[in-house]
Amino acid sequence: MESNYLSLLGLAKRAGMLEAGDEAVRAAISAGKVRLVLCASDASDRTRETFSFITESSGVAFVSVPETKEELGNSLGRRPSATVAVCDVGFAAAIAKKLAEKLPEAKECAERLSERAQKITKRKKAANKRKR
């Protein structure tokens, strides 16, 4: 099942704004870099529960996607991945918005990420004005 959000994941990877695989995702969450974590449909219950807990306690958005580990990995040109983390708020908001079109449970996540992206954009614009 090819989804538009998978294309956005590929772009995020090329931009260096994506981590894939359980260990890399955990490290990125610990470093405070992650905005959104996606979990494959065939990830183990333990993996899903662990990342759901970690993201909730870290204030990071979490979505279970319908794609399998193999499909997520293939979309990134790598081996199967149960978890993928998006580190850029703009990419995270766009991906969540695409997911919300097909997954009603992703709608709230998309709205929160969109608000965050707008706030960050406003802060950057204000900072640029002060520099001039």
Side-chain angles (χ1 to χ4, degrees):
M1 172 180 169
E2 181 64 27
S3 298
N4 289 336
Y5 88 90
L6 293 176
S7 299
L8 289 172
L9 281 178
L11 287 173
K13 179 185 179 225
R14 286 189 284 286
M17 298 294 169
L18 186 122
E19 297 291 339
D22 292 357
E23 290 181 29
V25 171
R26 283 177 196 250
I29 291 171
S30 295
K33 297 179 184 178
V34 177
R35 301 297 183 159
L36 172 66
V37 173
L38 305 177
C39 189
S41 61
D42 60 344
S44 71
D45 290 339
R46 183 176 181 178
T47 297
R48 189 172 286 105
E49 290 169 7
T50 299
F51 280 96
S52 178
F53 175 78
I54 292 171
T55 55
E56 187 175 323
S57 61
S58 301
V60 174
F62 177 84
V63 178
S64 289
V65 295
E67 283 70 31
T68 64
K69 294 185 276 191
E70 181 114 8
E71 291 168 327
L72 277 179
N74 286 341
S75 72
L76 302 172
R78 63 182 317 258
R79 58 184 170 73
S81 296
T83 55
V84 175
V86 182
C87 300
D88 178 76
V89 72
F91 277 119
I95 289 167
K97 183 178 177 184
K98 291 289 185 187
L99 282 169
E101 293 172 4
K102 294 186 180 193
L103 301 172
E105 60 269 19
K107 186 175 180 178
E108 182 184 334
C109 170
E111 290 170 355
R112 282 186 306 173
L113 285 168
S114 180
E115 288 173 14
R116 266 193 211 152
Q118 290 173 356
K119 286 179 183 178
I120 289 171
T121 302
K122 284 181 184 178
R123 274 190 248 138
K124 285 182 180 178
K125 285 182 182 179
N128 285 338
K129 284 183 181 179
R130 279 185 247 131
K131 286 182 182 179
R132 293 181 191 169

PDB file of all heavy atoms in Angstrom, residues 1 40 45 50 58 63 97 105 122:
ATOM      1  N   MET A   1       0.844  -1.179   0.000  1.00  0.00           N
ATOM      2  CA  MET A   1       0.000   0.000   0.000  1.00  0.00           C
ATOM      3  C   MET A   1       0.889   1.243   0.000  1.00  0.00           C
ATOM      4  O   MET A   1       1.497   1.591   1.001  1.00  0.00           O
ATOM      5  CB  MET A   1      -0.881  -0.053   1.259  1.00  0.00           C
ATOM      6  CG  MET A   1      -1.678   1.159   1.514  1.00  0.00           C
ATOM      7  SD  MET A   1      -2.641   0.891   3.021  1.00  0.00           S
ATOM      8  CE  MET A   1      -3.201   2.516   3.284  1.00  0.00           C
ATOM      9  N   ALA A  40       5.244   0.341  12.888  1.00  0.00           N
ATOM     10  CA  ALA A  40       4.688  -0.543  11.869  1.00  0.00           C
ATOM     11  C   ALA A  40       3.573  -1.415  12.438  1.00  0.00           C
ATOM     12  O   ALA A  40       3.556  -1.730  13.629  1.00  0.00           O
ATOM     13  CB  ALA A  40       5.789  -1.422  11.286  1.00  0.00           C
ATOM     14  N   ASP A  45       3.922  -6.422  20.130  1.00  0.00           N
ATOM     15  CA  ASP A  45       3.160  -5.689  21.143  1.00  0.00           C
ATOM     16  C   ASP A  45       4.093  -4.993  22.114  1.00  0.00           C
ATOM     17  O   ASP A  45       3.846  -3.867  22.534  1.00  0.00           O
ATOM     18  CB  ASP A  45       2.227  -6.630  21.904  1.00  0.00           C
ATOM     19  CG  ASP A  45       1.071  -7.118  21.050  1.00  0.00           C
ATOM     20  OD1 ASP A  45       0.746  -6.451  20.038  1.00  0.00           O
ATOM     21  OD2 ASP A  45       0.494  -8.162  21.388  1.00  0.00           O
ATOM     22  N   THR A  50       6.230  -0.200  24.430  1.00  0.00           N
ATOM     23  CA  THR A  50       7.430   0.506  24.884  1.00  0.00           C
ATOM     24  C   THR A  50       7.509   1.896  24.272  1.00  0.00           C
ATOM     25  O   THR A  50       7.704   2.888  24.976  1.00  0.00           O
ATOM     26  CB  THR A  50       8.696  -0.295  24.528  1.00  0.00           C
ATOM     27  OG1 THR A  50       8.639  -1.555  25.196  1.00  0.00           O
ATOM     28  CG2 THR A  50       9.953   0.451  24.933  1.00  0.00           C
ATOM     29  N   SER A  58       7.737  11.600  26.950  1.00  0.00           N
ATOM     30  CA  SER A  58       8.638  12.604  26.388  1.00  0.00           C
ATOM     31  C   SER A  58       7.897  13.716  25.646  1.00  0.00           C
ATOM     32  O   SER A  58       8.529  14.635  25.135  1.00  0.00           O
ATOM     33  CB  SER A  58       9.619  11.934  25.412  1.00  0.00           C
ATOM     34  OG  SER A  58      10.365  10.956  26.060  1.00  0.00           O
ATOM     35  N   VAL A  63       2.199   7.372  16.357  1.00  0.00           N
ATOM     36  CA  VAL A  63       1.131   6.853  15.504  1.00  0.00           C
ATOM     37  C   VAL A  63       1.498   5.447  15.038  1.00  0.00           C
ATOM     38  O   VAL A  63       2.610   5.220  14.565  1.00  0.00           O
ATOM     39  CB  VAL A  63       0.906   7.751  14.261  1.00  0.00           C
ATOM     40  CG1 VAL A  63      -0.165   7.171  13.357  1.00  0.00           C
ATOM     41  CG2 VAL A  63       0.539   9.164  14.671  1.00  0.00           C
ATOM     42  N   LYS A  97      -0.455  14.918   8.833  1.00  0.00           N
ATOM     43  CA  LYS A  97      -1.621  15.393   8.075  1.00  0.00           C
ATOM     44  C   LYS A  97      -2.021  14.357   7.022  1.00  0.00           C
ATOM     45  O   LYS A  97      -3.207  14.057   6.854  1.00  0.00           O
ATOM     46  CB  LYS A  97      -1.299  16.731   7.411  1.00  0.00           C
ATOM     47  CG  LYS A  97      -2.459  17.330   6.666  1.00  0.00           C
ATOM     48  CD  LYS A  97      -2.084  18.680   6.076  1.00  0.00           C
ATOM     49  CE  LYS A  97      -3.232  19.243   5.260  1.00  0.00           C
ATOM     50  NZ  LYS A  97      -2.853  20.506   4.618  1.00  0.00           N
ATOM     51  N   GLU A 105      -7.444   8.279  13.995  1.00  0.00           N
ATOM     52  CA  GLU A 105      -6.725   8.433  15.265  1.00  0.00           C
ATOM     53  C   GLU A 105      -5.505   9.344  15.131  1.00  0.00           C
ATOM     54  O   GLU A 105      -4.959   9.803  16.136  1.00  0.00           O
ATOM     55  CB  GLU A 105      -6.316   7.076  15.844  1.00  0.00           C
ATOM     56  CG  GLU A 105      -5.411   6.252  14.972  1.00  0.00           C
ATOM     57  CD  GLU A 105      -6.132   5.300  14.017  1.00  0.00           C
ATOM     58  OE1 GLU A 105      -7.328   5.495  13.749  1.00  0.00           O
ATOM     59  OE2 GLU A 105      -5.489   4.369  13.552  1.00  0.00           O
ATOM     60  N   LYS A 122       6.851  31.128  13.475  1.00  0.00           N
ATOM     61  CA  LYS A 122       6.699  32.512  13.966  1.00  0.00           C
ATOM     62  C   LYS A 122       7.928  32.943  14.747  1.00  0.00           C
ATOM     63  O   LYS A 122       8.418  34.065  14.591  1.00  0.00           O
ATOM     64  CB  LYS A 122       5.459  32.632  14.847  1.00  0.00           C
ATOM     65  CG  LYS A 122       4.170  32.661  14.087  1.00  0.00           C
ATOM     66  CD  LYS A 122       2.988  32.802  15.031  1.00  0.00           C
ATOM     67  CE  LYS A 122       1.679  32.748  14.291  1.00  0.00           C
ATOM     68  NZ  LYS A 122       0.512  32.841  15.191  1.00  0.00           N
TER      69      LYS A 122
END
